[in-house]
Amino acid sequence: YGAIASDNYDNIVDVSFNTDLNINIVGTYIINYYASDSNGNFASASRIVNVIDSTPPVVELIGENPIIVNINTPYNDLGLTALDNYDPSLTVIEETNININKVGIYNYTYNVIDDFNNSTLITRVIYVLDYSILDNIPVINISDDSSNNIANIY
């Protein structure tokens, strides 16, 4: 755990330590170091170790990205899945600029934050389109009757 001792008389001084340090559990731990020389002189030192979580949550959108929505149609985002290596309760902040009454490209953004302020940002792109224009497009039907051919090939 990273300690050495020196002595003006002994060339080699053994160092021992004790600790309850667990690098898999977030917290503050103390490592106590002890050394003594051949004359019985004793020294000690302590080190504080902070085990922190610096891993952001892993997130994935549910459903397609991007997604197309017809104008004036209610939109409810399908959401996301989020997992964290340490924190079972995550904070999810949703933000969107979607206007389903206006054709455009919009974002639906999630910011997922764990208790240690590690965060992951993920965005779904939403295209609001107006499909009503398809109702007024002329349709041309071509019959299979070959006697109505207009084109001549030379």
Side-chain angles (χ1 to χ4, degrees), residues 86-125:
Y86 195 80
D87 186 6
S89 61
L90 300 169
T91 300
V92 178
I93 300 170
E94 299 176 47
E95 191 174 305
T96 185
N97 64 348
I98 189 169
N99 180 351
I100 60 167
N101 300 314
K102 184 176 179 186
V103 171
I105 301 171
Y106 301 97
N107 294 316
Y108 202 106
T109 301
Y110 293 94
N111 189 8
V112 181
I113 308 165
D114 69 14
D115 285 341
F116 301 97
N117 286 325
N118 302 306
S119 65
T120 302
L121 202 65
I122 192 166
T123 300
R124 185 185 323 269
V125 177

Side-chain angles (χ1 to χ4, degrees), residues 3 5 13-19 31-36 42-45:
V13 179
D14 291 329
V15 177
S16 61
F17 67 91
N18 72 15
T19 184
I31 303 174
N32 295 305
Y33 301 96
Y34 310 98
S36 60
F42 178 80
S44 67

Side-chain angles (χ1 to χ4, degrees), residues 11-64:
N11 289 330
I12 299 174
V13 179
D14 291 329
V15 177
S16 61
F17 67 91
N18 72 15
T19 184
D20 60 350
L21 174 63
N22 185 337
I23 61 170
N24 296 311
I25 299 176
V26 172
T28 300
Y29 300 90
I30 298 175
I31 303 174
N32 295 305
Y33 301 96
Y34 310 98
S36 60
D37 65 13
S38 60
N39 291 321
N41 297 313
F42 178 80
S44 67
S46 297
R47 172 179 288 158
I48 297 174
V49 177
N50 292 306
V51 176
I52 61 169
D53 173 15
S54 60
T55 304
V58 176
V59 298
E60 186 175 325
L61 292 171
I62 297 171
E64 298 296 318

